[in-house]
Amino acid sequence: MPAYHSSFDKTNPRSISNLALLPLRITTKCRGPAPPSQEGQDIIDETISFFRANIFFRNYEIKSDSDRTLIYITLYISECLKKLQRVTGKNQAQKEMYTLAVQPFDIPGDPGFPLNNMYVKPKNRQEADQMKAYISQLRHETGFRLVERIMDGDRVSKWWLCFVKRRFMEKSLSAPGM
């Protein structure tokens, strides 16, 4: 069975380096360079729905820049699940996701970025700043929507927590041991 790929590659999106700058449904107060989405589903919704199927793949064929965005969000969801496994309520989960979203993170080209072989380094400082703002916006939106999707009362659904130990493409956004 092949992995699920992004359906947003057909829209011919603008890219920052080779990370697709796709429209987002804005559900948080975090603003960024992503244009607002006019459709019902965006790349974050698509990634959350494909997460449980794609997490099993060690290899992932990149067919478009939209797939690179999907890969980053999938790895970020894995990090979110690690943080959410010990929360005891929706408010605490939202706080954990906000804290994770605002933590410093590496972008392609930085020595600590785990996927440097798949992403192109930004050409200049302006492009790097735009990429950082877009990834930050993705992180905020993903964390907020993930909490809405996986909370089962005051606990995280066990059907999502069973994927905490899985690693998509044998990669992780966090440093080893974290």
Side-chain angles (χ1 to χ4, degrees):
M1 183 174 108
Y4 289 101
H5 294 275
S6 176
S7 62
F8 291 96
D9 60 342
K10 296 164 188 68
T11 61
N12 207 7
R14 202 176 86 199
S15 294
I16 308 170
S17 294
N18 62 352
L19 182 72
L21 183 67
L22 296 163
L24 298 178
R25 243 181 348 104
I26 308 298
T27 58
T28 64
K29 294 177 183 163
C30 180
R31 299 291 177 242
S37 175
Q38 305 302 324
E39 299 175 22
Q41 188 176 24
D42 63 4
I43 186 70
I44 295 173
D45 295 326
E46 183 180 60
T47 306
I48 290 172
S49 64
F50 290 161
F51 176 79
R52 293 187 282 183
N54 279 350
I55 194 73
F56 291 105
F57 290 96
R58 290 179 151 205
N59 300 317
Y60 188 86
E61 179 186 1
I62 298 171
K63 294 184 177 180
S64 67
D65 289 349
S66 300
D67 283 341
R68 287 183 178 84
T69 305
L70 186 131
I71 289 169
Y72 185 86
I73 297 171
T74 301
L75 292 173
Y76 184 68
I77 290 172
S78 294
E79 297 304 312
C80 291
L81 290 176
K82 290 176 190 173
K83 292 286 186 184
L84 290 173
Q85 63 185 338
R86 293 185 191 91
V87 298
T88 57
K90 194 171 186 177
N91 286 339
Q92 185 184 4
Q94 291 288 10
K95 288 177 186 174
E96 285 289 331
M97 291 300 91
Y98 180 78
T99 303
L100 184 61
V102 297
Q103 283 180 350
F105 58 91
D106 293 321
I107 62 170
D110 292 345
F113 190 71
L115 303 167
N116 273 331
N117 58 341
M118 293 181 211
Y119 292 81
V120 174
K121 181 179 177 180
K123 296 178 188 111
N124 53 39
R125 183 75 185 157
Q126 180 184 2
E127 198 172 87
D129 290 342
Q130 188 179 20
M131 180 181 280
K132 195 149 189 106
Y134 179 61
I135 290 175
S136 179
Q137 186 179 9
L138 283 175
R139 291 166 67 105
H140 280 278
E141 288 288 333
T142 302
F144 180 79
R145 292 192 211 168
L146 189 64
V147 168
E148 295 296 321
R149 177 90 179 254
I150 70 172
M151 291 302 288
D152 186 20
D154 279 344
R155 297 181 2 192
V156 178
S157 169
K158 67 180 180 180
W159 303 113
W160 279 88
L161 286 181
C162 64
F163 295 101
V164 168
K165 296 204 184 310
R166 291 247 170 229
R167 292 177 56 166
F168 178 59
M169 298 172 48
E170 296 299 318
K171 302 281 186 192
S172 174
L173 290 179
S174 62
M178 303 215 47

